[in-house]
Amino acid sequence: MRKTQRLAHSGGGRAISRRKFLGVTAGATAALSFGTFIRSGQGAASLRILTWSNTLNAMDDTLREQAKQYTKEKGVEVAFEFINQPDLPSKTAAAVESGAGPDIITTWSDGAHLHDKALIDVSDVAQPLGNQLKGWTNIAKDIGIVNKVWKSVPWGIIPIAVVYRTDWAKEVGYDKFPDTYDEMLVLCRKMKEKGHSSGFALGRSIGDANQSHYPMLWAHGGAECTKDSKRVAINSPGTAKAVDYVRRLFKESESEDVFSWDDSSNNRAFLAGELACTGNAASIYWAETKNAPQLRAVTNHALWPKGPAGRFGYSSALGLGIFKFSKFQKEAKEFITWLLQPKQYSAWIGVGEGQIAGLLNFYEDDPVWKKDPKLELIREIPKYVRMPGYPGPPTRHAAEAMVKYVLVNMFARACKGMSTPDTIKQAEAELKEIYSKA
Amino acid sequence: MAAIAHAERLPARPWVSRFTKPEALTGYFLISPAVFLMLVLLAYPFVLAVWISMTDRVLGEPGKFIWFQNFFKLLQDPLFRETVWNSFIYTITTVFFKMFLGVILALLLNQEIPSRNLIRGAILLPWIVPTSLSVLTWLWMFDSLFSIVNYILLGLGLISRKVPWLGDPFWAMVSVIIVNTWRGLPFFAISFLAGLMTIPRELYEAAEVDGALRFRQFWHITLPLLQPIIAVVVLFSTIWTFADFQIVYILTHGGPINATQIFATMAYDVALVAGRIGEGSAISLFLFPALLVVIILMLKYLRRE
């Protein structure tokens, strides 16, 4: 008898064939795996909230603390998951398609319109909050209401202001930031002549590029579509004026680098002392405390200037939506209501120092705006904010046009030398292709 | 003799029983995990993507079957046509450079040099390091304000003003080509090196005796014998490069002004950000029929060789 067979028999039992060994092993593995599929039981409610990772970490830390506090008070487990903002669309898409994921999602700008079929009706959260806290702003209704139903509870807006160097502006004779685009061009040109360039992103910067240039389009009378969103209306004298203006602004005052900028590039340039004027949230001013304290005294904010058609702005507005597949919809609604109460909300935006403004009229008088005079006008910005698709509502077509940088590219091509009619025609063709879809 | 006679007496097995014999069943059992993984992770997503590409699905909605309308619509989209052009330029240029430089590098690595094995291992680093991390480093190296590449070139006096690596349509394409070539070169070089090492030295010795110089040896011996490996490596690299995503997404995200937009980045924006997954699937599968033909022709050629 060979050695292996002697070993198999040594225990007194039958010989174990390889086949039997494999079969038993496979069966045991399958049984163990099956066990992990059995959930340990529903137990207490728990909420998962997917949101963006704030540039101001302190705001995220505040949310974590508030989550712990809520758990202590109500016995509901709450966990925030903070991810990079550009990854939010793909994570949201994965959750929508798979029917599994977080209970509460942060809808970014037109997110509620894009995913409204996957979100529940939250009118019973939004309406009472509006009644309690002096009503919602117009932009809140734009982002939260889809087909007359609240699908997302507006959470806040990141006001994008003009951020500029007061010392360099003073050097060329400006104590205050100009109130019209034409005067802004003069100021920026004079600053560049002194060696200080401005910069408004014209690259693949989903925030800054769009949020700087959509207002320039609207302020000069341009628009991508008609009020009923049915027809493309980009080819207009207003758009031509806007294109000519942006071209002049670039050639006479801006840095050549703007074509490669992402959302953090202008922050870094400003903090490095390389930028005179840009469009950004209060995050630059906040970051200067740690990274460039010497600049804090010479940095200030301004409203976006007025153009021939008025004053406009575009800022990212955030909302909180609840997925249909969530098993804890009641608890999610209660949590959102709690989160927007003055005690919690004021603490959160207070730490933000102007990074986020409330979308309920009550929060216009929040103490955060009194912390620093340089932040006070930021609370005015949401009044002028419109969404892509203006003068119509924010639609899927407008969202697609923004994601494809149709308007930003129109301006970029003009700055690179293309004629105004040609660049508008190209944008028109791209928009018509988008708006022709269902 | 008895064993041979015994072997001759064995009856022919019916073909069905070949599949039901215990050995065959064990074989299927052992390969079943791999087959299962391939079906779940490759076949199912692929079939689903093909199905979705023939619907007008948007995120969260079922959509309806529209046959090849997505594909026809894409051909009318000026942005998509630009994407096709960019993808071909990107792929053809990078594969050419990787092949050309890969052969040179393989020839160098085949020489008797000190620490040869260490150098061969080090050459693989760009291939091994996670692409996202290495491309983030390149992003910093090409940064508009703080580019170390511009700093060095300006310091050496090779340029008089900084190169807009990621801000100019031409230079942005050059940048993504440089990074893709850097990342893929080790794969080409090591594959070619493996091929070089199988070429018998006697062929070179015989050619030397006949008076053939190094270049003629390379042209008439090395290159023909490397041809099958070159074909396979080029085929794989072409497929991978057409499907490339990370490098362009991190470096330029398709910009500036769509100058580096390729299939995968456009599919991402359209499907996951704008929510049109039917159209996004059509974009990502657009080249599939053409690539399938290329693969079949290439495999036929290799079989002939």
Side-chain angles (χ1 to χ4, degrees):
Chain A
M1 198 181 273
R2 285 193 294 176
K3 189 177 174 188
T4 48
Q5 287 176 314
R6 274 206 301 276
L7 283 171
H9 282 289
S10 64
R14 290 182 298 164
I16 303 170
S17 70
R18 281 175 299 204
R19 227 162 276 142
K20 193 161 187 177
F21 173 77
L22 282 170
V24 168
T25 315
T29 310
L32 284 169
S33 310
F34 181 72
T36 63
F37 283 109
I38 299 169
R39 295 181 64 155
S40 53
Q42 295 292 327
S46 71
L47 294 174
R48 269 182 58 216
I49 303 142
L50 185 66
T51 187
W52 68 305
S53 179
N54 200 323
T55 326
L56 276 72
N57 318 67
M59 292 191 83
D60 289 347
D61 291 338
T62 306
L63 287 175
R64 285 192 189 94
E65 287 305 315
Q66 289 180 350
K68 282 190 197 143
Q69 192 192 334
Y70 188 80
T71 305
K72 226 194 264 181
E73 280 178 28
K74 310 280 182 181
V76 175
E77 281 289 322
V78 175
F80 278 95
E81 188 185 338
F82 302 99
I83 63 168
N84 198 17
Q85 189 271 326
D87 295 334
L88 209 46
S90 53
K91 278 242 174 172
T92 310
V96 167
E97 276 300 296
S98 62
D103 301 280
I104 300 174
I105 187 75
T106 299
T107 56
W108 197 273
S109 287
D110 50 20
H113 292 262
L114 279 177
H115 305 300
D116 70 304
K117 298 263 178 351
L119 301 172
I120 65 170
D121 181 353
V122 288
S123 307
D124 53 350
V125 177
Q127 277 162 0
L129 276 170
N131 295 336
Q132 179 198 351
L133 296 167
K134 297 188 180 176
W136 294 101
T137 59
N138 286 333
I139 195 68
K141 291 175 196 167
D142 273 346
I143 65 147
I145 299 177
V146 182
N147 297 327
K148 299 185 180 149
V149 175
W150 285 97
K151 282 298 181 92
S152 174
V153 179
W155 192 19
I157 188 167
I158 306 172
I160 302 296
V162 173
V163 186
Y164 70 104
R165 287 283 299 263
T166 54
D167 51 341
W168 291 343
K170 214 175 223 160
E171 200 183 1
V172 297
Y174 285 81
D175 285 325
K176 250 180 55 166
F177 197 83
D179 206 36
T180 64
Y181 273 112
D182 289 340
E183 269 303 305
M184 179 176 109
L185 175 59
V186 173
L187 164 64
C188 293
R189 182 177 62 227
K190 286 184 174 175
M191 289 197 289
K192 186 163 186 189
E193 283 163 8
K194 292 275 185 183
H196 312 303
S197 298
S198 299
F200 299 91
L202 276 168
R204 288 252 154 181
S205 143
I206 192 76
D208 294 336
N210 287 302
Q211 287 161 0
S212 300
H213 291 96
Y214 270 82
M216 291 184 192
L217 174 75
W218 296 326
H220 287 86
E224 71 182 84
C225 63
T226 50
K227 200 165 179 183
D228 57 7
S229 307
K230 289 214 164 80
R231 280 181 306 109
V232 171
I234 193 73
N235 201 342
S236 68
T239 305
K241 273 197 208 133
V243 170
D244 290 338
Y245 176 80
V246 170
R247 186 192 288 113
R248 279 189 67 196
L249 186 67
F250 169 75
K251 285 201 150 73
E252 294 174 26
S253 71
E254 290 191 55
S255 158
E256 294 267 336
D257 300 332
V258 295
F259 297 104
S260 62
W261 279 4
D262 60 22
D263 280 343
S264 67
S265 304
N266 63 340
N267 294 55
R268 286 188 277 117
F270 205 98
L271 292 170
E274 302 273 341
L275 206 54
C277 177
T278 189
N280 207 75
S283 51
I284 290 181
Y285 189 59
W286 173 86
E288 281 170 346
T289 317
K290 204 167 57 163
N291 299 323
Q294 75 282 9
L295 293 184
R296 205 165 149 93
V298 293
T299 301
N300 203 351
H301 304 102
L303 289 178
W304 287 95
K306 274 192 281 217
R311 194 194 305 274
F312 292 88
Y314 170 37
S315 302
S316 299
L318 282 58
L320 293 169
I322 303 171
F323 278 126
K324 278 188 174 147
F325 55 72
S326 169
K327 292 184 171 51
F328 305 110
Q329 292 178 12
K330 178 172 157 292
E331 289 82 358
K333 287 180 179 180
E334 286 167 2
F335 178 70
I336 293 174
T337 304
W338 181 88
L339 200 62
L340 265 79
Q341 294 305 304
K343 186 175 173 211
Q344 282 74 243
Y345 196 79
S346 213
W348 184 54
I349 62 172
V351 156
E353 294 187 12
Q355 168 82 338
I356 293 197
L359 287 167
L360 286 153
N361 292 317
F362 176 85
Y363 293 113
E364 212 183 298
D365 300 319
D366 192 274
V368 68
W369 306 117
K370 300 278 183 277
K371 271 189 176 183
D372 186 331
K374 289 184 180 178
L375 298 177
E376 210 166 339
L377 68 81
I378 292 182
R379 68 172 169 175
E380 303 287 316
I381 290 170
K383 289 194 186 110
Y384 304 102
V385 165
R386 300 289 181 271
M387 300 293 293
Y390 174 81
T395 58
R396 185 184 289 282
H397 299 126
E400 188 175 339
M402 191 192 70
V403 150
K404 286 180 170 174
Y405 296 88
V406 173
L407 294 181
V408 169
N409 287 344
M410 176 182 74
F411 291 124
R413 285 191 299 267
C415 295
K416 284 277 185 189
M418 196 182 267
S419 74
T420 301
D422 284 346
T423 192
I424 293 178
K425 233 188 260 168
Q426 191 168 334
E428 187 182 31
E430 290 169 11
L431 284 172
K432 278 184 170 163
E433 200 282 325
I434 292 169
Y435 275 78
S436 67
K437 298 174 194 174
Chain B
M1 281 292 280
I4 292 167
H6 177 73
E8 282 173 352
R9 279 203 300 271
L10 277 175
R13 283 196 303 187
W15 69 270
V16 172
S17 67
R18 265 187 251 154
F19 296 97
T20 55
K21 279 268 177 193
E23 291 90 1
L25 289 173
T26 307
Y28 299 138
F29 176 72
L30 286 171
I31 64 168
S32 59
V35 169
F36 174 74
L37 281 173
M38 270 181 57
L39 284 173
V40 167
L41 297 178
L42 290 177
Y44 171 69
F46 175 71
V47 169
L48 189 62
V50 171
W51 170 262
I52 292 174
S53 72
M54 295 199 281
T55 66
D56 60 357
R57 269 193 78 178
V58 294
L59 278 175
E61 292 173 43
K64 59 180 190 298
F65 199 72
I66 55 170
W67 288 100
F68 299 104
Q69 275 188 50
N70 280 330
F71 296 92
F72 293 134
K73 264 196 176 164
L74 282 173
L75 288 170
Q76 291 158 25
D77 181 355
L79 279 175
F80 182 72
R81 289 199 295 269
E82 199 174 344
T83 300
V84 173
W85 173 254
N86 293 340
S87 299
F88 272 88
I89 295 288
Y90 179 62
T91 304
I92 292 170
T93 318
T94 53
V95 170
F96 171 76
F97 277 118
K98 283 184 282 194
M99 185 180 64
F100 180 71
L101 295 171
V103 168
I104 295 174
L105 192 54
L107 288 169
L108 288 170
L109 290 173
N110 203 28
Q111 305 300 312
E112 291 288 338
I113 48 176
S115 310
R116 184 168 70 166
N117 288 333
L118 193 63
I119 295 172
R120 285 176 180 179
I123 291 288
L124 275 172
L125 276 175
W127 182 253
I128 296 166
V129 169
T131 312
S132 326
L133 296 180
S134 57
V135 179
L136 276 173
T137 311
W138 279 102
L139 182 64
W140 275 106
M141 286 166 65
F142 287 144
D143 186 76
S144 57
L145 279 173
F146 308 114
S147 167
I148 188 74
V149 176
N150 279 336
Y151 181 79
I152 291 172
L153 292 176
L154 281 167
L156 292 173
L158 294 170
I159 53 173
S160 54
R161 45 181 296 195
K162 56 182 186 176
V163 177
W165 292 107
L166 304 177
D168 177 80
F170 171 75
W171 286 110
M173 182 56 88
V174 167
S175 303
V176 295
I177 286 171
I178 287 173
V179 177
N180 187 291
T181 305
W182 171 85
R183 198 269 306 263
L185 186 56
F187 174 69
F188 277 71
I190 296 297
S191 304
F192 293 161
L193 178 63
L196 283 176
M197 289 165 74
T198 61
I199 299 175
R201 292 203 67 78
E202 294 78 39
L203 292 175
Y204 293 109
E205 285 162 9
E208 213 174 308
V209 163
D210 288 343
L213 296 173
R214 294 294 284 269
F215 181 77
R216 289 200 71 170
Q217 289 175 34
F218 170 78
W219 193 258
H220 292 289
I221 300 173
T222 311
L223 219 44
L225 290 174
L226 265 189
Q227 230 174 12
I229 292 189
I230 292 176
V232 169
V233 169
V234 163
L235 173 68
F236 275 121
S237 185
T238 303
I239 296 167
W240 290 335
T241 310
F242 266 122
D244 196 19
F245 174 76
Q246 297 161 88
I247 291 174
V248 172
Y249 183 77
I250 294 172
L251 224 44
T252 61
H253 203 136
I257 323 175
N258 295 315
T260 57
Q261 186 78 293
I262 53 176
F263 290 115
T265 48
M266 189 179 180
Y268 177 90
D269 282 341
V270 168
L272 297 181
V273 187
R276 292 193 182 275
I277 49 175
E279 196 180 315
S281 294
I283 293 169
S284 57
L285 287 172
F286 199 84
L287 272 195
F288 171 67
L291 285 177
L292 190 62
V293 168
V294 166
I295 291 167
I296 292 170
L297 290 174
M298 193 72 95
L299 291 174
K300 273 194 161 158
Y301 161 76
L302 285 170
R303 205 167 280 171
R304 232 179 341 151
E305 289 288 315

